[in-house]
Amino acid sequence: MAITDHDTVVVLDFGAQYSQLIARRVRECGVYSQILPFTASADEIRKLAPKGIIFSGGPASVRAEGSPRPDAGVFALGIPILGICYGLQVMSEMLGGHVTSSGRKEYGLQNITISDHSSELLSGVSDSSQVWMSHGDAVDRIPEGFRVTAVTPTCPYAAVEDSRRKFYGVQFHPEVVHSVEGDRMIRSFVLDICGAEADWNMGSFVSDAVESIRKTVGSRRVLCGLSGGVDSSVAAVLIHKAIGDQLVCVFVNNGMLRKHEAESVLDLFGRHFSMNLQYADASDDFLSALKGVTEPEAKRKIIGKVFVDTFYREARKCGDISFLAQGTLYPDVIESRSPSGGPSSTIKSHHNVGGLPEDLKWELLEPLKELFKDEVRALGKELGLPDELVYRHPFPGPGLGVRCIGEVTKERLDTLRDVDAIFIDEIRKAGLYGKIWQALADLLPVKSVGVQGDERTYREVCTLRAVTSEDAMTADWFRMPYEVLQRAASRICNEVPGVNRVLYDITSKPPGTIEWE
Ligand code: XMP
């Protein structure tokens, strides 16, 4: 059954890395998109009454035995189909064309040349347009009824179509940003060829998700670990909107949070959103377990373990719980694809929820699983979360614990909290917060001599770091204006008693990581 009243485009997943990206591009056209495994029967698809179907790419070779194929009935549904890469190949093969395994892989940027300007799919695309190719096999004979609409020097069937049956195929990947006019092609397919109405937005996502959460949960209860970060906050508010007090949130204070963070989480979720919020101040447990420990991995393990113990202790106080809610996003989903299924997820590892104890048998509820980070932010805004939370920088689960280099003590954490608050405050005042992926301060296990007032001092050294990044996999150091650094350094030395020296980190990632640990 359709899970939305809006027009839908189905993405049939052949095991592609990019299925979610295709779905996202369709959403960007204002049209709902649902991913189904390629094993979905034609009947299942027909019941969803989609306006169009997109066959994703995939790592298999159509020439290989047992390669994934859609139900042949999909070609008889009278619904437009766009095949991307493997999707084009499998469509060609099944409709009477031929695919060859040249053994030569083509990977990277190419320019397509439009060879037939009457193409509906390529309408409005430049005569020569950059695309992203990634394939080994290639179509070497197109099915009857198809014509070629674009070529590359090495690919005679870069884009093909049968406009009578409304079947289209591209050998390249229009969904990735490197295909410069790919979004225009997807838009032409979804809006012009399929005629889908562009009336889906984050508001529609909320109403569909609320309905689906209510249906899944029924009268049972859901537990959500709230960290104060964007993902878990958005998930919690969405679920709360659906089931109100059937949601119990647990917020663990590990003593390594930023300044005023615990208060602001309690205020926002407990008071403003009136959520059923259980607060566990386990700072002492964390600090005593960390006493004397300096090795980064050992610190992480301890923090993870105390978190799990605390979380489960709190969970047991919450009565009968059936679901564990998580703010898992699409990029967090660990893909383990089997020939019959799409992506499957494991518990979001950085939530530190680890393996569940035997006596707690929860189902997972992950309402953000299909979304990308910026879509979650848009959803957060739609749900009325304040900008300050929606656009906040990433913050690691083990908190300031990984930023207190050396031993983690209450005094050092208090010092670091003050340094961090001043640095972020100066960045905000300079209007730079939104330009930075992440800004952080670390306290080093080093003391240095200084002179403050008339006195020689021997105090801690801190580093400030700000980076730009797309996805935290790589990062560049942010060219922070000198005046901002100067104001931050001067305030830190004046206002934070334990610190007399401030450094700015200009290491990119790689070779450095974002956190110092
Ligand atoms: P690194 O330091 O590896 O960090 O360059 C990449 C990104 O991951 C964040 N990070 C974490 N996030 N739990 C989290 O939720 C963690 O244990 C953790 N460790 C690192 C880091 O802040 C950066 O954004």
Side-chain angles (χ1 to χ4, degrees):
M1 200 194 67
I3 60 168
T4 178
D5 294 336
H6 299 266
D7 283 352
T8 300
V9 168
V10 161
V11 176
L12 266 199
D13 181 3
F14 290 90
Q17 235 178 317
Y18 295 130
S19 299
Q20 282 293 347
L21 199 52
I22 300 170
R24 183 213 165 107
R25 297 292 175 234
V26 175
R27 293 198 289 270
E28 283 171 354
C29 299
V31 174
Y32 180 72
S33 167
Q34 185 165 354
I35 300 181
L36 294 179
F38 72 88
T39 47
S41 69
D43 209 39
E44 268 172 76
I45 297 172
R46 189 183 47 74
K47 284 189 188 138
L48 291 173
K51 288 286 189 181
I53 302 170
I54 300 181
F55 290 181
S56 80
S61 164
V62 280
R63 305 244 42 90
E65 193 147 332
S67 57
R69 289 180 185 231
D71 181 338
V74 293
F75 298 110
L77 292 174
I79 299 171
I81 298 176
L82 168 64
I84 295 177
C85 195
Y86 180 84
L88 158 68
Q89 295 161 10
V90 80
M91 173 158 67
S92 302
E93 184 84 10
M94 289 176 76
L95 295 177
H98 188 263
V99 172
T100 172
S101 292
S102 64
R104 232 190 37 215
K105 290 204 186 311
E106 188 179 20
Y107 182 79
L109 297 177
Q110 268 291 358
N111 276 312
I112 52 164
T113 305
I114 309 244
S115 57
D116 184 337
H117 286 90
S118 68
S119 163
E120 295 167 272
L121 187 71
L122 304 176
S123 158
V125 173
S126 320
D127 284 352
S128 171
S129 186
Q130 179 189 298
V131 297
W132 176 259
M133 289 276 192
S134 173
H135 64 112
D137 292 358
V139 173
D140 64 355
R141 190 182 71 232
I142 47 177
E144 231 180 274
F146 276 76
R147 64 199 159 94
V148 182
T149 53
V151 298
T152 75
T154 48
C155 181
Y157 302 109
V160 300
E161 64 189 56
D162 173 346
S163 34
R164 195 180 54 81
R165 288 186 286 180
K166 295 201 177 298
F167 295 157
Y168 304 78
V170 288
Q171 183 51 69
F172 53 88
H173 288 274
E175 69 277 21
V176 305
V177 287
H178 313 290
S179 293
V180 176
E181 292 175 283
D183 51 352
R184 179 181 279 267
M185 301 172 201
I186 290 176
R187 187 163 274 275
S188 292
F189 178 71
V190 170
L191 301 182
D192 302 333
I193 295 169
C194 301
E197 198 169 331
D199 61 356
W200 185 92
N201 55 32
M202 270 303 160
S204 333
F205 181 91
V206 172
S207 35
D208 292 340
V210 160
E211 204 178 307
S212 138
I213 293 166
R214 280 187 189 147
K215 220 155 86 205
T216 309
V217 172
S219 58
R220 291 177 288 171
R221 297 170 78 231
V222 178
L223 180 79
C224 180
L226 199 58
S227 72
V230 187
D231 308 349
S232 65
S233 301
V234 172
V237 175
L238 180 63
I239 297 168
H240 183 249
K241 192 173 169 77
I243 58 167
D245 273 353
Q246 286 165 256
L247 171 72
V248 187
C249 288
V250 170
F251 173 55
V252 176
N253 184 346
N254 59 11
M256 293 172 276
L257 303 174
R258 287 187 144 138
K259 201 165 183 170
H260 304 311
E261 178 143 22
E263 295 89 317
S264 72
V265 168
L266 293 176
D267 190 56
L268 182 65
F269 297 98
R271 279 186 278 281
H272 180 70
F273 282 107
S274 303
M275 279 189 200
N276 203 342
L277 179 60
Q278 191 154 322
Y279 173 59
D281 184 353
S283 315
D284 291 342
D285 298 343
F286 281 89
L287 285 176
S288 47
L290 284 167
K291 201 167 169 31
V293 183
T294 55
E295 203 274 314
E297 261 320 294
K299 285 204 283 193
R300 269 182 178 275
K301 285 216 172 77
I302 291 169
I303 296 171
K305 176 164 186 330
V306 181
F307 182 88
V308 168
D309 292 348
T310 314
F311 188 77
Y312 290 137
R313 194 176 61 230
E314 292 304 311
R316 288 193 174 88
K317 295 184 197 157
C318 296
D320 202 13
I321 297 285
S322 304
F323 294 89
L324 176 67
Q326 295 210 110
T328 314
L329 309 194
Y330 178 66
D332 305 322
V333 173
I334 298 161
E335 291 165 68
S336 71
R337 291 167 188 282
S338 64
S340 59
S344 71
S345 66
T346 63
I347 290 189
K348 190 173 182 178
S349 55
H350 77 237
H351 271 203
N352 298 327
V353 187
L356 300 180
E358 274 296 295
D359 63 327
L360 297 172
K361 293 208 166 60
W362 296 320
E363 286 176 50
L364 281 183
L365 188 65
E366 299 176 303
L368 314 180
K369 198 162 74 174
E370 292 174 8
L371 303 183
F372 290 79
K373 190 84 176 185
D374 56 329
E375 293 180 301
V376 169
R377 292 206 160 110
L379 176 60
K381 279 188 77 81
E382 179 72 32
L383 290 166
L385 281 162
D387 280 5
E388 207 178 289
L389 190 144
V390 166
Y391 295 107
R392 66 183 296 181
H393 292 167
F395 186 67
L400 299 180
V402 296
R403 298 181 181 170
C404 249
I405 317 303
E407 192 179 359
V408 183
T409 63
K410 169 92 173 51
E411 288 88 55
R412 296 191 79 218
L413 284 168
D414 286 341
T415 300
L416 183 54
R417 250 187 287 274
D418 286 342
V419 171
D420 177 72
I422 292 172
F423 185 39
I424 301 294
D425 184 47
E426 288 302 330
I427 287 174
R428 281 194 190 281
K429 279 189 191 146
L432 297 173
Y433 189 83
K435 295 197 163 75
I436 294 169
W437 167 271
Q438 202 168 354
L440 52 140
D442 287 79
L443 206 59
L444 301 189
V446 176
K447 288 191 174 181
S448 83
V449 172
V451 53
Q452 284 169 297
D454 286 335
E455 221 182 296
R456 275 174 83 79
T457 56
Y458 186 54
R459 292 186 181 157
E460 306 224 58
V461 179
C462 72
T463 63
L464 307 181
R465 178 154 174 72
V467 295
T468 53
S469 177
E470 290 288 322
D471 52 10
M473 300 298 286
T474 61
D476 194 11
W477 61 280
F478 182 69
R479 277 36 172 193
M480 186 77 72
Y482 285 168
E483 312 78 66
V484 181
L485 288 174
Q486 188 271 322
R487 276 196 296 275
S490 149
R491 277 189 61 195
I492 289 166
C493 291
N494 280 307
E495 295 173 32
V496 188
V499 175
N500 67 358
R501 201 172 290 268
V502 180
L503 314 177
Y504 187 63
D505 182 356
I506 57 163
T507 320
S508 57
K509 173 182 179 177
T513 46
I514 294 176
E515 304 291 346
W516 278 50
E517 313 239 355

